[in-house]
Amino acid sequence: MRNATVMPYRVVDDLPLVRAFVREQAHRLGLTADSTDALAIAVNELVTNTLQHTSGGGQVRIWCDDTSVYCEVVDSGPMRTVPRAMPTPDAERGRGLAIVARLCDEVTAYAEPDCTIVRLRFAVRRADPPAEEAAARDDDPR
């Protein structure tokens, strides 16, 4: 987790700030618009679970390597099992982690002595450069 950018959260009013943080960082790290949206939804589900089922809030950490963007949601809640089967249509709850598992390329959950961490991985699928950038490269005599 080299050079992770970190944002703490504590209350429900932090959710819009967390989503904006994740979107900004994902875009900066090179995810496409679709992957950025998926990451924001997945993190929103995890942070919402933290705020509903634990006390003390948590933090979101995001970083990348050459092939992937990673995002961790860290809290003091119990260990989660991911992926989970989608609940039946008549179930009132339980879809959040199943949605997270479907949105991400990989989801890993693990416990440390003082926290639980859910790590999301998205392969970097960079968008094509804007047409003017591609044209400028085509004109480059190198």
Side-chain angles (χ1 to χ4, degrees):
M1 179 179 50
R2 300 172 297 193
N3 301 319
T5 305
V6 179
M7 180 182 180
Y9 60 90
R10 297 189 66 73
V11 295
V12 172
D13 289 344
D14 290 338
L15 275 169
L17 300 172
V18 168
R19 288 190 300 265
F21 167 78
V22 168
R23 287 179 181 284
E24 178 183 314
Q25 296 304 312
H27 176 74
R28 181 182 64 81
L29 295 173
L31 287 186
T32 64
D34 287 345
S35 291
T36 296
D37 289 344
L39 179 57
I41 291 167
V43 169
N44 186 76
E45 288 293 332
L46 294 170
V47 170
T48 298
N49 280 351
T50 298
L51 295 171
Q52 288 179 340
H53 303 294
T54 71
S55 61
Q59 65 176 231
V60 175
R61 306 187 288 218
I62 189 167
W63 74 98
C64 71
D65 62 19
D66 292 337
T67 62
S68 299
V69 171
Y70 300 89
C71 187
E72 291 180 339
V73 176
V74 182
D75 65 32
S76 62
M79 182 64 183
R80 298 159 183 88
T81 54
V82 181
R84 292 177 28 179
M86 190 62 76
T88 60
D90 60 334
E92 291 184 28
R93 301 182 59 84
R95 289 177 182 76
L97 292 178
I99 290 168
V100 169
R102 284 164 176 75
L103 290 172
C104 304
D105 291 315
E106 182 179 2
V107 180
T108 308
Y110 55 98
E112 292 192 349
D114 59 343
C115 65
T116 299
I117 300 169
V118 178
R119 179 179 292 169
L120 313 175
R121 186 184 66 79
F122 280 78
V124 176
R125 297 178 183 96
R126 299 187 195 283
D128 291 331
E132 59 273 5
E133 285 182 30
R137 273 191 246 134
D138 291 341
D139 292 338
D140 191 348
R142 285 185 254 168

